[in-house]
Amino acid sequence: MKNRFLAAWERVSLRAKLTTMSVFLIGLLLTISSAGTVALLSTYLQQNTDNLLIATANQLRAENPLRLQIRVTTGDLTLPALPSDYYIAILDSDGNQFLGLVSATGGGRQVPNFSTLTSEKVIEFGGVPFDAEVDVAGPDQAWRVVALPLQNANGSVVVGLPTNTNRQIINEYGVIGGRFGILLLFLSGLSIWLTITSALRPLREVERTAEAVKSGKFSSRLVQRHGKTEIGRINRALNSMLDSIESAVRGKDKTLDQMRRFVSDASHELRTPLVTVRGYAELYRMGAIKSKHDLTEAMGRIESEAIRMSGLVESLLTLTRMDELGNLKKQPTDIVALAQASVKDASVAHQAISFRVSTPFDKCSLEIDGDRIKQVFTNLLANAARFAPNSSEVTVEIEDAGSRIRAKVIDRGEGVPQDLREKIFERFYRIDNSRNRETGGSGLGLAIAKSIIDAHGGKIWLEETPGGGATFIFELNK
């Protein structure tokens, strides 16, 4: 039974749940408040009745019982402001009624039975009001009574008021309060329903946006809502998530495009050396290579093409390793020494170009992975040498940039167009899309350099060299 109830409750809409719970709580509070008010009202009415009865009894106990009726009838005795349905009785010491005074409107009413109110019983009550009932059921079934001993005679005076008036007042209040409570519950429920409907309306927008994203419209966004409301914070969080999703999807599409281009480039780059190797192998198998000179030339070409393929594979492996976290081996390293070593290597590999290092430092120690930063210098110098004209100069400058050390690789080549300066750091991107083997690289050197600098928490970018050429700049934290 409980499980069925919970299952049914789960199927109820959030709006209905919130409205139901709110109306229930309001109804509970109204019930508690009404019950408390009725209890206070009942206590207040009974206390007023008791005070009036005690005041009247205290006044009557000092009167002569024989003249009491005459004084009341002639108006010589002014009683407290009793209601019109009072009852006054004079009893002897045994509880027998000696005199009974009924109000002008009290004719024919049933009155309490005072036969048990002996003098000892009256003294026992001590002047505290009590409830008394009539012998025969009628419209006045209960009375509030106080009894006090007479001062000038043996016996007691009893003053009573029927409690039906107080009960009627309380019942009328209950009826009015109940009707008002029902009306208030209805208005509250309607107001809460409309308020919750208005508050949850943005969730429909979330649903529509989710459906749009599901259908492939990744640019769909929720309306920005100002302020610190829950809906505003949810919209900002969801928009941020949608931005990330869109970026991820675009990045995936971009990567797929790059991979397709890379596969095309790599297949072309690998096809040529493989065809060369296969060709020389077939010539050797067919006996076409006989002389030692021809054999040496063939082996040299095979080795050269194998080196090209190995370089491409090594570049891919380097990028894969840089994508992994925690692969840097940082230690204090002199970046000036790294630059000088890289320049010496580049001078041997590209003898037609002049390389030099310009820096105000004799030594500059940084907490870096020396092998990786040397690879950055090597890749940037190789890129500069590839496009720099013969007999030109490539300069490496290292300078202080406040909280960072800045390194520049400056060439005097063709330069890079403004719209391509961001793309050249992308993986598999090559400005030379003709895939010329002499001038075009694999498109991985600059991407490797950027990955290494990013892993060090630095940044790398490209600027135009004054007078023509390209200047690659990267910064590392001191």
Side-chain angles (χ1 to χ4, degrees), residues 245-317:
I245 293 175
E246 184 180 13
S247 298
V249 172
R250 288 183 176 179
K252 177 184 176 182
D253 294 339
K254 188 176 182 180
T255 300
L256 289 175
D257 292 339
Q258 292 173 340
M259 286 297 296
R260 292 189 188 98
R261 186 174 62 190
F262 169 74
V263 169
S264 176
D265 291 345
S267 63
H268 182 275
E269 295 290 342
L270 293 175
R271 185 185 300 115
T272 301
L274 286 174
V275 169
T276 301
V277 171
R278 181 179 178 180
Y280 279 109
E282 289 182 352
L283 289 175
Y284 180 78
R285 180 177 55 80
M286 294 169 59
I289 302 177
K290 297 181 179 180
S291 65
K292 183 178 180 180
H293 176 270
D294 291 341
L295 181 60
T296 301
E297 182 179 359
M299 292 299 103
R301 291 297 303 276
I302 291 174
E303 180 183 13
S304 175
E305 297 302 329
I307 291 173
R308 280 174 51 80
M309 288 188 292
S310 297
L312 180 61
V313 173
E314 286 296 330
S315 296
L316 289 173
L317 290 176

Side-chain angles (χ1 to χ4, degrees), residues 104-289:
T105 60
R109 286 180 303 147
Q110 297 293 333
V111 297
N113 182 9
F114 300 138
S115 60
T116 59
L117 287 178
T118 62
S119 297
E120 292 79 7
K121 194 70 172 179
V122 170
I123 295 173
E124 183 180 342
F125 278 120
V128 177
F130 58 93
D131 291 327
E133 297 191 7
V134 300
D135 291 335
V136 181
D140 302 324
Q141 298 181 6
W143 288 71
R144 191 68 174 171
V145 174
V146 64
L148 292 175
L150 293 171
Q151 292 181 351
N152 301 323
N154 291 328
S156 57
V157 59
V158 179
V159 181
L161 287 173
T163 59
N164 66 320
T165 303
N166 291 348
R167 289 201 307 270
Q168 185 178 1
I169 292 175
I170 294 173
N171 291 337
E172 290 178 357
Y173 176 83
V175 172
I176 295 173
R179 293 175 179 176
F180 178 76
I182 294 174
L183 177 61
L184 183 60
L185 280 178
F186 173 76
L187 294 178
S188 299
L190 180 61
S191 300
I192 292 171
W193 177 272
L194 295 176
T195 301
I196 294 176
T197 300
S198 176
L200 296 181
R201 188 175 294 115
L203 295 182
R204 296 183 180 178
E205 181 185 351
V206 174
E207 182 180 359
R208 289 194 297 269
T209 303
E211 290 293 335
V213 172
K214 180 181 178 181
S215 63
K217 299 178 181 179
F218 297 103
S219 60
S220 300
R221 293 294 182 273
L222 297 171
V223 177
Q224 289 289 351
R225 299 182 182 274
H226 300 286
K228 298 181 179 180
T229 63
E230 291 78 2
I231 296 298
R233 291 197 295 269
I234 289 176
N235 282 12
R236 287 193 293 272
L238 290 178
N239 283 338
S240 178
M241 180 187 70
L242 291 175
D243 289 339
S244 300
I245 293 175
E246 184 180 13
S247 298
V249 172
R250 288 183 176 179
K252 177 184 176 182
D253 294 339
K254 188 176 182 180
T255 300
L256 289 175
D257 292 339
Q258 292 173 340
M259 286 297 296
R260 292 189 188 98
R261 186 174 62 190
F262 169 74
V263 169
S264 176
D265 291 345
S267 63
H268 182 275
E269 295 290 342
L270 293 175
R271 185 185 300 115
T272 301
L274 286 174
V275 169
T276 301
V277 171
R278 181 179 178 180
Y280 279 109
E282 289 182 352
L283 289 175
Y284 180 78
R285 180 177 55 80
M286 294 169 59
I289 302 177

Side-chain angles (χ1 to χ4, degrees), residues 5-183:
F5 173 77
L6 293 177
W9 180 253
E10 289 295 330
R11 291 192 292 269
V12 178
S13 67
L14 178 60
R15 176 173 53 187
K17 287 180 180 178
L18 292 175
T19 303
T20 302
M21 293 302 297
S22 299
V23 171
F24 172 77
L25 289 176
I26 293 175
L28 180 61
L29 293 175
L30 283 175
T31 301
I32 295 174
S33 176
S34 298
T37 303
V38 168
L40 289 175
L41 179 61
S42 177
T43 302
Y44 172 77
L45 292 176
Q46 180 172 305
Q47 185 176 4
N48 282 348
T49 300
D50 291 347
N51 292 336
L52 186 59
L53 291 174
I54 293 172
T56 304
N58 282 326
Q59 182 178 354
L60 293 176
R61 67 182 297 194
E63 295 290 331
N64 186 349
L66 299 176
R67 295 183 55 82
L68 179 61
Q69 185 174 8
I70 297 175
R71 286 171 56 80
V72 172
T73 304
T74 59
D76 294 337
L77 179 61
T78 303
L79 296 176
L82 288 173
S84 60
D85 51 357
Y86 67 84
Y87 180 75
I88 299 174
I90 302 297
L91 307 179
D92 60 18
S93 60
D94 295 328
N96 298 316
Q97 183 170 309
F98 174 75
L99 176 66
L101 298 177
V102 183
S103 65
T105 60
R109 286 180 303 147
Q110 297 293 333
V111 297
N113 182 9
F114 300 138
S115 60
T116 59
L117 287 178
T118 62
S119 297
E120 292 79 7
K121 194 70 172 179
V122 170
I123 295 173
E124 183 180 342
F125 278 120
V128 177
F130 58 93
D131 291 327
E133 297 191 7
V134 300
D135 291 335
V136 181
D140 302 324
Q141 298 181 6
W143 288 71
R144 191 68 174 171
V145 174
V146 64
L148 292 175
L150 293 171
Q151 292 181 351
N152 301 323
N154 291 328
S156 57
V157 59
V158 179
V159 181
L161 287 173
T163 59
N164 66 320
T165 303
N166 291 348
R167 289 201 307 270
Q168 185 178 1
I169 292 175
I170 294 173
N171 291 337
E172 290 178 357
Y173 176 83
V175 172
I176 295 173
R179 293 175 179 176
F180 178 76
I182 294 174
L183 177 61

